[in-house]
């Protein structure tokens, strides 16, 4: 067995001088070498435990950033975890991965093996980390029991608002809702779906663009949870017949997180969807969004111009707003006036005048846009072009010296030109005003810990139209496997696919001739445009995503 000092030196955690000084102190005080180094501030508690784990040939995990598998946690009760200071955190080759402060505790290992019915693979973690993780992942069990008791079915009278207001202020409801939001933020969820059913309440998180069911709760808690969230979001709890919108803010790990709340009446109660808005996302740089060099070069030429229209297209949830905000972060300067019109304002940015539409008050996109053009703007961001009137005003603004950024729901970049003409805009105006169209999709990124390399067959490459020809060496591609770090999905995080079309004289001519999107697309490709599919395949060849994922998001 290696000496602790050698392990610390090899890992670069201590210098020879620090080690020799600690050895002298150890001999003088009669204490362990590791404890002396921690007391001297040379090592942290985690570094010491990691080194000791290496010394005995075991794996160390840092539970503060380890992706814990919820299904593994649920195999062992809160009481057993606390009794043995151990927490199941995932699976490894069919074995239950258990983080333990004392991996030599054979009684704990026997208990967990018997209860779970699985072989146990212990890993080492610090005691404070294990206890904090138990509090974090098991806190919901006891609260759920309390909550169910507090909301007995006999008291679940949806017409008794007084009773509901009393219930939603009870500690179990408050803690449960807070736990739900905190857990979603920890799991990197973009949306929380709370869905009442006939016999229970289902909770799902959208993680990396895919919904995952995380909880099914008793039906009796439905009205309490719904009303609590509506009160937090300043929504009328007495109104259950129509959809409503609201907003709330929470603090998670010292960071302010905004949530956009939307209710939808269903046959079994009100469904609530909460979009998690991390303000740090709005401060992203364009270089962080995964642009390839050719795409970035074309796109960057468009937003440095003082006027013209830039459109970002794609379906809901494809990252259009994030791209527009990242663009605003570049063009927004103290000497220019930037005004946005959004529905709703998702991210609140300093130094930018943001207007939220209010249809009930008559403040629609077109009405707001007409008004802000009288407020001397240099740059205008429109949340979405939804109708011909809005499109017409936006086009005129782009033609009269304003830089206009907006979104449009089309499948690819060439279709945006046709869509604008279909809205009733004169083709010659579209060709003159439109400067650049960016189509975008989000694809899941392969988990770096478990992705597996393989050589594809030539037929696979040809079928999927890879930039590859017979006679060329086969590229090394990667496919998802699944591990505890990515919750067995094989993917972790997302990346953007882009299709950037600059509007040149030929596209202007084709627009005036009312050419189809297919004809416009063929010309754009001949001028060097990289299609969404091609950009995705290039990212597959770079090893960051898989063929299956690209085919899922791009036709």
């Amino acid at each position: 067995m290696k000496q602790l000092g050698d392990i610390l030196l090899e890992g670069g955690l201590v210098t020879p001088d620090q080690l020799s000084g600690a050895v002298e102190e150890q001999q003088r005080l009669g204490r362990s070498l590791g404890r002396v180094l921690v007391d001297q501030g040379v090592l942290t508690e985690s570094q010491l435990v990691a080194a000791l784990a290496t010394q005995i040939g075991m794996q160390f995990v840092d539970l503060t950033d380890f992706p814990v598998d919820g299904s593994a946690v649920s195999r062992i009760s809160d009481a057993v975890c606390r009794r043995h200071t151990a927490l199941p955190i995932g699976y490894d080759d069919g074995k239950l991965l258990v983080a333990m402060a004392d991996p030599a505790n054979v009684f704990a290992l026997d208990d967990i093996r018997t209860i779970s019915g699985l072989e146990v693979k212990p890993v080492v973690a610090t005691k404070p980390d294990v206890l904090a993780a138990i509090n974090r992942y098991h806190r919901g069990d006891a609260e759920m029991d309390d909550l169910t008791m507090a909301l007995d079915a006999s008291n679940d009278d949806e017409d008794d608002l007084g009773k509901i207001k009393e219930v939603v202020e009870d500690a179990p409801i408050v803690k449960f809702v807070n736990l739900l939001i905190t857990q979603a933020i920890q799991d990197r969820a973009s949306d929380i779906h709370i869905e009442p059913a006939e016999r229970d309440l289902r909770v799902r998180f959208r993680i990396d663009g895919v919904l995952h069911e995380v909880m099914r709760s008793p039906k009796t808690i439905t009205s309490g949870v719904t009303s609590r969230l509506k009160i937090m979001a300043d929504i009328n709890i007495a109104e259950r017949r129509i959809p409503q919108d609201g907003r709330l803010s929470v603090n998670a790990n010292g960071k302010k997180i905004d949530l956009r709340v939307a209710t939808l009446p269903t046959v079994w109660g009100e469904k609530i969807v909460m979009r998690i808005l991390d303000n740090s996302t709005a401060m992203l740089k364009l270089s962080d969004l995964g642009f390839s060099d050719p795409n970035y070069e074309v796109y960057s030429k468009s937003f440095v111009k003082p006027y013209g229209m830039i459109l970002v297209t794609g379906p809901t949830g494809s990252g259009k707003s994030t791209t527009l905000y990242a663009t605003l972060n570049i063009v927004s300067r103290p000497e220019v006036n930037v005004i946005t019109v959004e529905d709703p304002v998702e991210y609140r940015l300093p130094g930018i005048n943001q207007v939220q539409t209010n249809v009930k008050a008559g403040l629609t996109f077109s009405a707001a846009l007409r008004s802000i053009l009288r407020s001397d703007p240099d740059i205008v961001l429109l949340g979405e072009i939804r109708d011909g009137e809005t499109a017409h005003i936006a086009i005129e603004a782009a033609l009269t010296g304003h830089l206009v950024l907006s979104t449009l729901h089309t499948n690819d970049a060439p279709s945006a030109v046709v869509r604008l003409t279909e809205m009733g805009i004169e083709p010659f105006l579209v060709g003159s005003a439109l400067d650049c169209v960016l189509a975008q999709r989000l694809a899941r990124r392969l988990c770096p810990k478990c992705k597996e390399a393989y050589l594809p067959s030539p037929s696979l490459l040809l079928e999927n139209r890879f930039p590859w020809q017979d006679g060329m060496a086969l590229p090394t591609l990667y496919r998802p496997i699944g591990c505890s770090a990515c919750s067995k999905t094989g993917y972790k995080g997302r990346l953007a696919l882009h299709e950037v079309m600059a509007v040149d004289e030929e596209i202007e001519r084709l627009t005036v001739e009312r050419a189809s999107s297919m004809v416009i697309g063929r010309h754009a490709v001949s001028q060097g445009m990289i299609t969404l599919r091609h950009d995705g395949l290039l990212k597959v060849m770079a090893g960051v995503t898989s063929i299956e994922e690209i085919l899922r998001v791009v036709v």
Side-chain angles (χ1 to χ4, degrees):
M1 184 185 292
K2 275 190 176 183
Q3 294 296 314
L4 178 62
D6 295 334
I7 293 171
L8 296 173
L9 283 172
E10 289 173 5
L13 296 172
V14 298
T15 64
D17 290 343
Q18 288 173 329
L19 183 61
S20 60
V23 169
E24 291 177 7
E25 189 76 2
Q26 174 195 11
Q27 293 170 346
R28 187 175 68 85
L29 298 176
R31 302 179 66 196
S32 69
L33 176 63
R35 189 48 54 192
V36 169
L37 287 166
V38 170
D39 290 344
Q40 290 179 343
V42 177
L43 290 180
T44 65
E45 192 73 32
S46 293
Q47 289 173 328
L48 172 60
V49 175
L52 292 172
T54 302
Q55 188 179 23
I56 61 175
M58 296 192 72
Q59 179 187 349
F60 171 79
V61 295
D62 185 353
L63 291 177
T64 56
D65 60 5
F66 187 89
V68 174
D69 189 332
S71 64
V73 172
S74 63
R75 283 184 170 272
I76 305 299
S77 69
D78 182 21
V80 174
C81 289
R82 292 185 188 280
R83 183 162 68 243
H84 298 304
T85 318
L87 181 71
I89 57 173
Y91 302 94
D92 187 5
D93 293 331
K95 296 181 179 179
L96 189 64
L97 203 63
V98 180
M100 305 180 69
D102 180 12
N105 186 342
V106 293
F107 299 108
L109 293 172
D110 285 344
D111 271 4
I112 294 171
R113 187 181 299 111
T114 303
I115 294 168
S116 67
L118 294 173
E119 285 298 312
V120 175
K121 180 181 178 181
V123 293
V124 184
T126 64
K127 186 174 181 179
D129 278 0
V130 175
L131 291 174
I134 291 171
N135 288 336
R136 188 161 65 246
Y137 293 105
H138 271 296
R139 191 177 67 182
D141 296 342
E143 290 182 2
M144 179 60 76
D145 292 340
D146 292 344
L147 185 59
T148 306
M149 292 172 61
L151 292 174
D152 185 80
S154 61
N155 291 328
D156 192 19
D157 184 356
E158 296 210 351
D159 294 323
D160 190 350
L161 289 179
K163 177 64 72 176
I164 288 178
K165 286 179 179 178
E166 288 178 18
V167 169
V168 298
E169 297 302 328
D170 283 349
I173 281 281
V174 174
K175 290 179 181 177
F176 174 76
V177 170
N178 292 346
L179 174 67
L180 196 64
I181 295 171
T182 303
Q183 189 63 54
I185 294 168
Q186 288 174 349
D187 289 350
R188 301 177 296 106
S190 60
D191 299 88
I192 305 171
H193 289 243
I194 300 171
E195 303 166 322
E198 183 179 5
R199 294 184 177 85
D200 55 19
L201 179 71
R202 180 171 68 164
V203 178
R204 294 190 291 173
F205 294 164
R206 188 178 292 280
I207 302 171
D208 294 336
V210 179
L211 281 170
H212 300 270
E213 184 173 314
V214 295
M215 188 186 305
R216 279 189 180 268
S217 304
K219 177 73 173 176
T220 51
I221 74 169
T222 301
S223 65
V225 171
T226 302
S227 298
R228 171 63 186 170
L229 285 168
K230 289 169 76 173
I231 287 173
M232 291 173 70
D234 197 22
I235 294 173
N236 181 6
I237 65 170
E239 181 56 77
R240 304 190 185 93
R241 299 165 298 174
I242 60 173
Q244 297 184 82
D245 296 307
R247 191 183 183 103
L248 62 93
S249 297
V250 297
N251 284 311
N253 300 321
K255 186 165 61 173
K256 182 185 177 185
I257 304 289
D258 292 331
L259 291 95
R260 194 179 77 206
V261 182
T263 70
L264 181 69
T266 70
V267 291
W268 301 117
E270 286 180 285
K271 172 184 168 78
I272 292 185
V273 178
M274 292 185 281
R275 168 69 57 88
I276 298 173
L277 306 170
D278 185 350
N279 284 313
S280 61
T281 303
M283 304 310 292
L284 284 174
K285 298 178 181 177
L286 272 177
S287 54
D288 298 331
L289 301 183
F291 276 91
S292 63
D293 291 338
N295 280 339
Y296 185 79
E297 184 180 349
V298 176
Y299 184 60
S300 59
K301 287 178 181 176
S302 64
F303 60 72
V304 295
K305 297 178 181 178
Y307 57 86
M309 175 181 280
I310 299 172
L311 289 179
V312 181
T313 76
T316 302
S318 60
K320 300 188 297 297
S321 296
T322 301
T323 299
L324 286 178
Y325 282 126
T327 307
L328 273 189
N329 289 332
I330 295 177
V331 300
S332 175
R333 304 182 303 277
E335 59 268 25
V336 297
N337 181 20
V338 182
I339 304 180
T340 75
V341 185
E342 303 166 70
D343 179 26
V345 174
E346 291 191 346
Y347 304 105
R348 295 173 185 179
L349 303 177
I352 292 176
N353 306 286
Q354 295 174 278
V355 178
Q356 179 157 320
T357 61
N358 186 337
V359 177
K360 289 181 180 177
L363 188 62
T364 60
F365 271 111
S366 55
L369 182 54
R370 197 179 293 108
S371 298
I372 66 173
L373 289 176
R374 294 194 289 268
S375 301
D376 187 31
D378 297 293
I379 299 167
V380 177
L381 185 148
L382 263 176
E384 184 183 348
I385 293 178
R386 296 180 178 177
D387 53 61
E389 186 182 2
T390 306
H392 188 77
I393 301 169
I395 290 284
E396 286 187 344
L399 289 170
T400 54
H402 303 89
L403 181 63
V404 179
L405 295 87
S406 190
T407 69
L408 200 62
H409 285 283
T410 62
N411 290 326
D412 56 20
S415 299
V417 176
V418 178
R419 177 81 179 113
L420 286 173
T421 57
E422 286 175 349
M423 284 181 166
I425 311 300
E426 290 294 337
F428 70 91
L429 292 177
V430 174
S432 302
L434 194 58
D435 191 71
C436 179
V437 184
L438 166 66
Q440 183 168 306
R441 297 289 187 282
L442 290 180
R444 290 180 294 173
R445 189 186 295 270
L446 282 169
C447 173
K449 292 190 176 181
C450 67
K451 66 180 182 180
E452 180 182 71
Y454 70 100
L455 283 177
S457 65
S459 60
L460 178 69
L461 298 178
L462 293 173
E463 285 171 11
N464 290 286
R465 292 175 283 169
F466 264 80
W468 178 89
Q469 296 176 347
D470 280 325
M472 296 173 62
L474 289 172
T476 300
L477 305 184
Y478 292 85
R479 54 189 166 208
I481 296 299
C483 65
S484 57
C486 59
S487 302
K488 300 294 180 183
T489 62
Y491 298 95
K492 189 172 183 182
R494 289 197 283 180
L495 55 89
L497 313 179
H498 300 105
E499 177 179 287
V500 187
M501 185 185 78
V503 178
D504 59 14
E505 288 184 6
E506 180 62 17
I507 291 179
E508 285 190 39
R509 185 183 67 79
L510 291 171
T511 304
V512 172
E513 293 176 357
R514 296 185 180 269
S516 69
S517 60
M518 190 177 298
V519 173
I520 294 172
R522 274 201 297 265
H523 168 75
V525 170
S526 72
Q527 296 301 303
M529 183 183 82
I530 299 172
T531 64
L532 279 167
R533 186 189 183 95
H534 191 181
D535 192 44
L537 295 178
L538 291 174
K539 287 177 166 68
V540 170
M541 295 179 75
V544 293
T545 188
S546 67
I547 295 177
E548 296 81 9
E549 183 62 11
I550 296 304
L551 296 179
R552 184 181 73 86
V553 297
V554 181
V555 178

